Amino acid sequence: MTVGDQVKQAVASLKSAQASFESFALQTNNQNAKQMYQNAAQQTQTIVQQIEQRVQEMIDEEPEYGNQ
Amino acid sequence: MPTYLEMIIRAVAIFFILFILARILGKKQISQLTFFDYVTGIAIGSMAASVAIRQDQSFLYGFIGLSVFTGLSLLFSFLSLKSLTMRDLIEGNPTVLVQNGEVLEDNLKKVRLTHADLMMGLRRQNVFKLSDVETAILETNGRISVMKKSQNQPLTPKDIGLSVLEESSPSLVIVDGHVLEKRLSYLGYTKEWLKGEVMKQGASEFEDVFLAQIDSQGNVYVDLRKDQNRSEKVPQKPLLAAQLRKVQADLEMFALQTNDQNAKQMYYNQSKELDKVIQMVNPYMKQ
């Protein structure tokens, strides 16, 4: 597995974590916990965006990463 | 009327009278009874018993005795509610037995406790060393309450500045296959959602579930009727926590691997951001 693939996998994991946070936020009735899960989902989203940008850069630099 | 018939009627009548009197006297726990409550209870009981089985005892007199005792107990508990001096007189005051780690021998003598009684009371509170005791108090019901010195008190999350999940009390939502719909809708969940949750945990119908409990996080714990068809369930939250930590480690690895300075910095920053997220959610990630 190339580094590119590993980075993509990390992005996928993060996205799944973000989705879990969102669903936990919906499930709980505790206002504190809800707020906390929403924050966590938002911050995870920011991280995902940063790393996705990097993935795009890698694809631009070395196109073979993109078509695997 | 044959004697045995009369005895049966007496016993039944006394049984119900006692039941009613007990309900009137209220639901003070046995452990909260003061000595006086205790002896009044015994007196009422023995009066009732003698009326129930002794033919030569007049039923009417027995009934009067019972009513007077109940009435007086009620009056006393009412008085001790209304007036502080009456309360001291009737229930007595708690007595301090140990203060600032010093055993107060005079007070021990006053309440006629031996050192062995004191030690027993302390041990029942899981205190075996006198040196651990800050204050010990003999309550009016005869129990000893202990406050340990602060360095011997159990460590709480607050002491080490740990943030923990605030949890309110969990509630049962399925009992013996029946969904408690009122409670479910009070908690803000729907029956359909609950069905999804119990199906995830191996039930195909509500009838398969013996007990289901929802905690304040929305986690559902399901106990199935047939214990053998329980499938091993994946703990969702610990799994998520592990996943996050793996990604964070990966990000650090990417930062080490790349030669691009910008990317290195970005990976490093994002790994730190992710670490913040992990720290924030950590208390919530326990099942």
Side-chain angles (χ1 to χ4, degrees):
Chain A
M1 199 158 57
T2 64
V3 174
D5 288 333
Q6 285 173 0
V7 178
K8 279 187 210 159
Q9 204 181 41
V11 171
S13 288
L14 279 173
K15 280 183 180 166
S16 117
Q18 188 205 346
S20 301
F21 283 141
E22 278 166 2
S23 88
F24 291 150
L26 289 175
Q27 270 178 35
T28 181
N29 280 333
N30 182 328
Q31 282 307 317
N32 278 347
K34 210 186 251 304
Q35 188 62 47
M36 196 275 318
Y37 283 132
Q38 279 163 357
N39 286 346
Q42 233 163 41
Q43 288 178 27
T44 318
Q45 169 71 23
T46 329
I47 299 171
V48 167
Q49 280 166 358
Q50 293 285 324
I51 298 173
E52 270 185 332
Q53 228 173 0
R54 174 64 192 161
V55 173
Q56 197 53 49
E57 281 170 26
M58 285 161 96
I59 293 171
D60 292 346
E61 281 167 18
E62 296 178 62
E64 69 268 26
Y65 281 156
N67 44 36
Q68 269 173 4
Chain B
M1 190 156 56
T3 317
Y4 71 86
L5 202 61
E6 194 198 330
M7 297 321 287
I8 291 176
I9 293 171
R10 272 180 177 239
V12 170
I14 287 296
F15 183 84
F16 284 104
I17 288 171
L18 259 191
F19 177 73
I20 291 165
L21 293 186
R23 295 291 297 172
I24 291 174
L25 278 176
K27 48 177 154 192
K28 240 187 183 184
Q29 299 293 315
I30 295 282
S31 61
Q32 291 172 0
L33 291 183
T34 61
F35 181 67
F36 184 66
D37 292 330
Y38 186 62
V39 288
T40 339
I42 292 175
I44 290 177
S46 75
M47 260 186 256
S50 66
V51 176
I53 57 165
R54 286 181 57 183
Q55 211 195 349
D56 56 328
Q57 203 107 47
S58 145
F59 188 84
L60 182 66
Y61 290 171
F63 182 69
I64 289 173
L66 283 175
S67 314
V68 168
F69 257 70
T70 312
L72 282 179
S73 320
L74 275 182
L75 180 70
F76 263 48
S77 55
F78 185 71
L79 283 179
S80 56
L81 265 183
K82 284 288 160 194
S83 137
L84 270 182
T85 28
M86 281 309 283
R87 198 194 67 95
D88 287 353
L89 215 62
I90 295 168
E91 298 192 350
N93 276 324
T95 310
V96 181
L97 301 178
V98 180
Q99 195 164 37
N100 301 329
E102 288 273 317
V103 181
L104 306 176
E105 290 83 3
D106 290 344
N107 283 357
L108 269 185
K109 231 174 263 168
K110 229 183 271 171
V111 295
R112 288 178 303 282
L113 275 186
T114 64
H115 68 282
D117 296 333
L118 173 65
M119 289 313 292
M120 183 181 87
L122 294 182
R123 283 194 298 266
R124 286 179 61 141
Q125 302 284 335
N126 275 331
V127 180
F128 284 75
K129 285 187 192 167
L130 260 182
S131 59
D132 290 353
V133 180
E134 169 68 33
T135 306
I137 296 173
L138 179 70
E139 304 290 359
T140 49
N141 64 10
R143 296 213 168 179
I144 293 180
S145 306
V146 180
M147 180 184 170
K148 293 186 197 173
K149 286 187 178 152
S150 46
Q151 70 266 29
N152 294 314
Q153 291 199 5
L155 192 63
T156 61
K158 195 177 123 199
D159 292 334
I160 53 173
L162 189 70
S163 69
V164 287
L165 173 61
E166 279 174 46
E167 207 159 1
S168 46
S169 70
S171 9
L172 283 178
V173 287
I174 301 180
V175 174
D176 208 6
H178 297 287
V179 182
L180 308 176
E181 293 189 38
K182 241 189 214 163
R183 201 177 294 177
L184 195 64
S185 64
Y186 173 74
L187 293 170
Y189 299 104
T190 63
K191 217 171 158 178
E192 290 70 34
W193 173 82
L194 183 64
K195 183 146 192 185
E197 289 296 309
V198 300
M199 282 168 78
K200 262 195 240 166
Q201 305 197 25
S204 45
E205 286 296 326
F206 285 131
E207 279 72 36
D208 298 339
V209 179
F210 182 58
L211 286 174
Q213 194 180 37
I214 296 187
D215 67 13
S216 53
Q217 287 294 293
N219 294 320
V220 181
Y221 180 81
V222 174
D223 186 80
L224 298 179
R225 256 180 222 283
K226 288 187 198 127
D227 291 333
Q228 65 268 30
N229 65 13
R230 166 185 290 277
S231 54
E232 199 58 43
K233 47 181 189 260
V234 183
Q236 264 187 48
K237 286 180 180 173
L239 191 72
L240 174 60
Q243 194 181 8
L244 284 174
R245 282 194 295 271
K246 179 182 182 298
V247 174
Q248 199 228 336
D250 283 348
L251 288 180
E252 276 172 13
M253 194 183 71
F254 299 151
L256 290 175
Q257 279 177 351
T258 182
N259 289 325
D260 182 335
Q261 279 308 316
N262 279 341
K264 213 188 234 331
Q265 194 56 42
M266 187 279 295
Y267 282 135
Y268 186 63
N269 288 344
Q270 296 313 317
S271 139
K272 273 210 295 209
E273 284 297 313
L274 191 55
D275 189 46
K276 273 188 222 159
V277 176
I278 293 173
Q279 293 306 327
M280 178 172 72
V281 298
N282 224 4
Y284 294 80
M285 288 295 113
K286 287 157 193 141
Q287 201 76 22

